Amino acid sequence: MDGLGTPGWRRSAPEVIAGLDRKRVPHHVAAVMDGNGRWAKQRGLKRTDGHAAGEEALFDVVEGALELGIGWLTVYAFSTENWKRPVDEVRFLMGFNEGILVRHRDQLNEWGVRIRFAGRRDWRVPRRVLKRIEESEALTRANKRMTFTIAFNYGGRAEIVDAVRALVEAGVKPSGVTEKAIRAHLYEPDMPDPDLMVRTSGEYRISNFLLWEMAYSELVFTEQLWPDFRRENLFDAIREYQQRDRRFGAVQE
Ligand code: IPE
Ligand code: IPE
Ligand code: MG
């Protein structure tokens, strides 16, 4: 990514933003960055080369989100199920996510981005990676332009289990187990529900991402493999989102 040390991020040409209603931009966008392995395979490369190629896609999307004034961006980087992958790939992904922080946190900090990690910080995550996560969160804690959450060792079911466990530990009575109480014990209690979830690579599933939070999210699925995804594709997804009629179970007048 260029622009390191520059005050601004790369801006889109006007035609790229054309047709987007700037007043109805989703407040929270979630993305399942899928298809890295297939992208690599198509090129005769290793799966891990596909993950590495996804970095440029990710930070172009971050810039695009900043450009539109999106307040919350959450990306799925490693699921609680991804431990089932070959040990070399898992090891690569641990170091890769650490590297992403090292390479981008100063720039993100300059841009006013608050970095967060959501997921289980358990013994399986190498110490070094945990340390980098904590440093990056501390560095950017006070930033207000956008909250950028990396879902890492994240599972939607695990998150709900962890919230319920916290309630039980606190001795909450059955009548105290409410939606509000569960929400208050999710990994990011202050995070609004995603308005829009985008998944790349032509897979039409949630794969245990933000199960609680996506109850009423609009879902957009695209065919590009994640390393090919750019802010233009995010903007297309937002145009599609802006066509949707969100009813939340109610009847529209
Ligand atoms: C998404 O790409 C990245 C992670 C799950 C870490 P994949 O690695 O799942 O790529 P495909 O789905 O095998 O192509
Ligand atoms: C979801 O992708 C997890 C991430 C993108 C981190 P997967 O590739 O792991 O999901 P499945 O296995 O196709 O459902
Ligand atoms: Mg996949």
Side-chain angles (χ1 to χ4, degrees):
M1 197 169 78
D2 66 8
L4 226 119
T6 63
W9 46 85
R10 281 173 300 173
R11 286 167 203 281
S12 305
E15 60 270 22
V16 174
I17 308 215
L20 257 173
D21 182 349
R22 298 293 294 262
K23 290 192 282 302
R24 285 176 47 241
V25 166
H27 186 46
H28 182 183
V29 174
V32 178
M33 309 185 287
D34 196 16
N36 299 347
R38 278 163 283 169
W39 184 93
K41 192 168 178 205
Q42 284 174 359
R43 289 163 177 76
L45 302 169
K46 302 192 293 292
R47 291 182 54 81
T48 50
D49 295 328
H51 299 313
E55 182 170 346
E56 194 179 332
L58 175 57
F59 288 93
D60 197 59
V61 165
V62 169
E63 286 186 17
L66 286 166
E67 190 169 28
L68 292 191
I70 289 169
W72 297 74
L73 175 68
T74 302
V75 299
Y76 205 5
F78 191 87
S79 76
T80 47
E81 287 70 41
N82 289 147
W83 296 106
K84 295 178 203 161
R85 296 188 175 202
V87 65
D88 285 350
E89 181 172 347
V90 168
R91 192 177 299 127
F92 177 89
L93 286 168
M94 292 294 132
F96 178 63
N97 280 283
E98 182 195 355
I100 277 192
L101 289 177
V102 172
R103 288 189 287 281
H104 297 278
R105 61 183 171 189
D106 290 337
Q107 172 106 82
L108 292 172
N109 190 35
E110 262 180 52
W111 287 347
V113 175
R114 175 168 63 174
I115 302 171
R116 283 190 183 166
F117 268 67
R120 276 199 177 149
R121 300 182 189 207
D122 61 21
W123 57 273
R124 291 180 296 184
V125 180
R127 252 187 198 310
R128 243 194 22 246
V129 182
L130 286 174
K131 186 160 176 283
R132 218 66 79 198
I133 290 172
E134 284 160 14
E135 287 166 4
S136 306
E137 287 178 331
L139 174 73
T140 61
R141 183 163 323 209
N143 292 341
K144 297 210 157 43
R145 192 188 298 275
M146 180 171 86
T147 302
F148 173 48
T149 300
I150 301 176
F152 181 76
N153 194 18
Y154 175 88
R157 288 182 175 176
E159 181 177 28
I160 295 169
V161 167
D162 288 350
V164 173
R165 266 186 201 159
L167 292 179
V168 172
E169 267 166 21
V172 169
K173 291 202 217 37
S175 61
V177 182
T178 59
E179 291 188 11
K180 201 171 157 212
I182 290 176
R183 174 178 297 278
H185 289 87
L186 297 176
Y187 296 140
E188 289 178 274
D190 58 341
M191 181 181 85
D193 288 343
D195 301 292
L196 166 66
M197 189 281 288
V198 187
R199 181 172 185 150
T200 55
S201 89
E203 304 292 359
Y204 296 79
R205 55 179 171 264
I206 302 297
S207 300
N208 204 13
F209 192 36
L210 302 175
L211 293 183
W212 180 278
E213 297 87 340
M214 290 210 295
Y216 273 102
S217 302
E218 294 299 328
L219 311 181
V220 172
F221 297 94
T222 78
E223 296 301 315
Q224 297 99 7
L225 304 173
W226 177 257
D228 292 328
F229 198 82
R230 290 294 179 273
R231 71 182 79 183
E232 288 80 355
N233 307 112
L234 171 70
F235 298 167
D236 285 342
I238 293 173
R239 284 187 192 91
E240 185 170 337
Y241 163 85
Q242 290 181 340
Q243 302 300 314
R244 304 273 177 95
D245 184 13
R246 301 187 78 189
R247 288 190 287 273
F248 299 96
V251 178
Q252 222 72 15
E253 282 304 304

